[in-house]
């Protein structure tokens, strides 16, 4: 991160963030905080994943975490593992008022954001449904919205038999009473298209959305 700031002449906070699969989403959260506090007036947020050696893939395969057919089948009955993939993405964040003043092409507005951790769950790689509910509710509250205002969720959706049901359960707990067949909540996962970019997965989901 420091090398990029040196190359581009950026003088604001510069850091590399590692929170596993949520790394680039946490980076977006920290960038939003920096903008809100006036610490920065523009943030460049990036995520990248490069598969440089086979060891991790071999370990994941031995643990039964990878889809044997190389297909990520998010939220499908046939989901049997995720697919590791390479890629990178970057977004430019500014306060909305500054972006409009500068005549920028505004593609989206981040109204609210929140970060938490599963804490103690049944396993290191096992997500916590209650923690997921909590962070979703907090993000909605921070955005001054209500569950019924949300119509699309870009999910984690790795295509695993354990993680996907927990995630759908958390979404159902938050949105189950505010949505119906007449007002559905659409859930997607970019991993079904490009695989799991691991630390860059979040930025890929934001760009897709």
């Amino acid at each position: 991160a420091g090398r990029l700031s040196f190359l581009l002449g950026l003088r604001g906070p510069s850091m590399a963030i590692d929170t596993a699969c949520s790394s680039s989403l946490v980076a977006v959260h920290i960038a939003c905080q920096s903008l809100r506090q006036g610490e920065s007036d523009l943030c460049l947020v990036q995520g990248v994943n490069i598969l440089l050696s086979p060891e991790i893939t071999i370990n994941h395969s031995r643990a039964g975490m990878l889809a044997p057919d190389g297909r990520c089948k998010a939220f499908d009955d046939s989901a049997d593992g995720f697919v590791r993939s390479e890629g990178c993405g970057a977004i430019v964040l500014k306060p909305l008022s500054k972006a409009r003043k500068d005549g920028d092409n505004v593609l989206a507005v981040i109204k609210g954001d929140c970060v938490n951790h599963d804490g103690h769950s049944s396993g290191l790689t096992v997500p916590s449904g209650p923690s997921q509910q909590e962070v979703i509710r907090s993000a909605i509250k921070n955005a001054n919205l209500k569950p019924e205002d949300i119509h699309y969720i870009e999910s984690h959706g790795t295509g695993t038999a354990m993680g996907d049901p927990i995630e759908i359960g958390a979404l159902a707990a938050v949105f189950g009473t505010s949505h119906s067949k007449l007002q559905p909540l659409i859930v997607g996962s970019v991993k079904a298209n490009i695989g799991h970019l691991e630390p860059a997965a979040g930025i890929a989901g934001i760009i897709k959305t």
Side-chain angles (χ1 to χ4, degrees), residues 37-55:
Q37 294 170 0
E39 184 179 48
S40 305
D41 57 12
L42 181 150
C43 289
L44 181 62
V45 186
Q46 303 167 86
V48 60
N49 193 44
I50 304 174
L51 307 180
L52 295 175
S53 61
E55 284 82 6

Side-chain angles (χ1 to χ4, degrees), residues 25-183:
L25 287 180
V26 174
V28 169
H29 172 72
I30 291 174
C32 288
Q33 288 184 321
S34 183
L35 291 169
R36 291 188 187 109
Q37 294 170 0
E39 184 179 48
S40 305
D41 57 12
L42 181 150
C43 289
L44 181 62
V45 186
Q46 303 167 86
V48 60
N49 193 44
I50 304 174
L51 307 180
L52 295 175
S53 61
E55 284 82 6
I56 293 177
T57 301
I58 292 170
N59 289 337
H60 286 354
S61 180
R62 287 175 175 170
M65 299 167 65
L66 302 181
D69 61 357
R71 302 280 297 181
C72 180
K73 299 170 282 293
F75 304 115
D76 193 274
D77 284 341
S78 63
D80 54 3
F82 69 95
V83 181
R84 303 189 74 209
S85 60
E86 295 182 314
C88 63
I91 60 174
V92 177
L93 301 180
K94 281 184 177 181
L96 182 59
S97 57
K98 178 173 173 54
R100 286 174 171 166
K101 181 179 178 181
D102 293 344
D104 295 326
N105 180 23
V106 179
L107 300 177
V109 176
I110 299 176
K111 292 188 175 183
D113 51 282
C114 185
V115 169
N116 76 351
H117 193 277
D118 285 343
H120 187 71
S121 65
S122 59
L124 183 62
T125 61
V126 180
S128 166
S131 293
Q132 290 184 352
Q133 294 177 43
E134 182 182 323
V135 77
I136 294 167
R137 289 192 172 102
S138 295
I140 293 172
K141 182 179 179 181
N142 291 344
N144 293 317
L145 297 173
K146 298 178 181 179
E148 54 265 34
D149 297 323
I150 309 299
H151 304 292
Y152 175 78
I153 297 286
E154 174 61 24
S155 68
H156 189 47
T158 55
T160 58
M162 180 179 292
D164 284 10
I166 293 174
E167 185 172 10
I168 282 292
L171 292 173
V174 175
F175 298 101
T177 59
S178 59
H179 290 72
S180 64
K181 289 183 179 179
L182 296 177
Q183 187 183 6

